[in-house]
Structures are given as structure tokens and as C-alpha cells.
């Protein structure tokens, strides 16, 4: 339940960031027709642009702060900050790769279907997580499996 709420709020921000309203389907509209694909392309491109901007900021910040602190305590704090930023950057880099892969899927007309079982992932779910490549059922199973592997 909590997770769903989180997904919903992030969907709002991704859509808002892209300056888009949730997609309104017409009755009988074909799933992933060119209009829908275009909608998700815009979302993904805006997201990509935002992430790239954030990564540039991180790099500039680290260059600015790369001064040598004579105090070892300051240095330790700085190193901690840097490693946190590096982890964030690493996450962002992976996300960017995933978004680029998803954009390629749109190009190839292969977007919006579950990689595992082939069903429609659904517009609302994709607006919440545009890079989702599994339907909710397969995702749940995958997460359960992951959790079991953790023990
Ligand atoms: Zn599936």
C-alpha cells in the first residue's frame, strides 16, 4: 500500500516535470498507438533531460569542493559526502541507461508490454514508472523471488 502511494506521487512529479497531464484514452483506442507512444516518449525525454542536468550539477559541485582541507576531520566529512554523491551519480547513470533503453523500445514499437509474459503493462502503471518492463503480477513475483534470495 505504502509503495503504491510512493509510485503515485512520483508519477505526478514525472508527469508534472514533463509538463504533461495523465493520458486520456478514448473509448476503443488501441493500446500503444502512435499517440500513446508519443506521450511516453515526451515523458521519458523530459526525465532524461532532468537527470542529465542533475548529473552536471554534481560534477560541478565536486570540482568546486575538491579543495584540500588541512583538518583530517573536515577531510573525512568531505570524503563521505563525495562517496554519497558518487553513489547517487551511479544510480542516476543506471537510470539514464534504463531510460535510453526504454526510448529505444518506443522507437522499435516494442514499448508497454511485459517482458516476461507479454501482457499490456497499462498506461497508469507506465505513467507511474515509465521504465517498467514487467506487468504488476510479474513484478510482484520477481520481487518475492528477490526477497527469498536475500535470506
Ligand atoms: Zn507479466
Amino acid at each position: 500500500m505504502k509503495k503504491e502511494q510512493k509510485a503515485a506521487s512520483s508519477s505526478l512529479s514525472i508527469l508534472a516535470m514533463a509538463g504533461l497531464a495523465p493520458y486520456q484514452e478514448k473509448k476503443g483506442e488501441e493500446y500503444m498507438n502512435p499517440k500513446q507512444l508519443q506521450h511516453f516518449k515526451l515523458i521519458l525525454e523530459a526525465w532524461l533531460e532532468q537527470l542529465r542536468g542533475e548529473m552536471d550539477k554534481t560534477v560541478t559541485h565536486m570540482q568546486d569542493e575538491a579543495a584540500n582541507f588541512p583538518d583530517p576531520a573536515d577531510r573525512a566529512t568531505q570524503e563521505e559526502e563525495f562517496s554519497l554523491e558518487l553513489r547517487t551519480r551511479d544510480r542516476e547513470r543506471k537510470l539514464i541507461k534504463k531510460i535510453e533503453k526504454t526510448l529505444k523500445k518506443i522507437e522499435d514499437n516494442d514499448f508497454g508490454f511485459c517482458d516476461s509474459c507479454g501482457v499490456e503493462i497499462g498506461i497508469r502503471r507506465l505513467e507511474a514508472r515509465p521504465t517498467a518492463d514487467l506487468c504488476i503480477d510479474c513484478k510482484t513475483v520477481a520481487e518475492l523471488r528477490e526477497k527469498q534470495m536475500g535470506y
Side-chain angles (χ1 to χ4, degrees), residues 114-119 134-139:
C114 176
D115 270 0
S116 176
C117 73
V119 302
L134 293 174
C135 70
I136 194 78
D137 290 343
C138 291
K139 180 71 190 169

Side-chain angles (χ1 to χ4, degrees), residues 55-86:
M55 281 190 76
D56 286 347
K57 252 187 278 167
T58 313
V59 174
T60 315
H61 174 67
M62 283 177 70
Q63 281 165 347
D64 285 350
E65 297 234 328
N68 264 320
F69 288 112
D71 185 336
D74 286 347
R75 229 169 20 231
T77 311
Q78 192 197 28
E79 269 159 26
E80 227 168 80
E81 254 175 53
F82 277 12
S83 83
L84 190 77
E85 291 205 2
L86 284 175

Side-chain angles (χ1 to χ4, degrees), residues 92-134:
E92 284 171 350
R93 203 174 306 130
K94 279 189 192 132
L95 190 54
I96 284 175
K97 270 214 183 110
K98 184 114 202 246
I99 295 171
E100 282 170 343
K101 213 179 97 195
T102 310
L103 277 165
K104 179 85 178 40
K105 277 173 124 180
I106 290 184
E107 229 173 85
D108 295 343
N109 247 320
D110 188 28
F111 175 77
F113 297 90
C114 176
D115 270 0
S116 176
C117 73
V119 302
E120 298 176 357
I121 292 175
I123 290 178
R124 293 290 90 87
R125 172 160 162 74
L126 285 167
E127 279 180 334
R129 281 199 66 209
T131 54
D133 47 20
L134 293 174

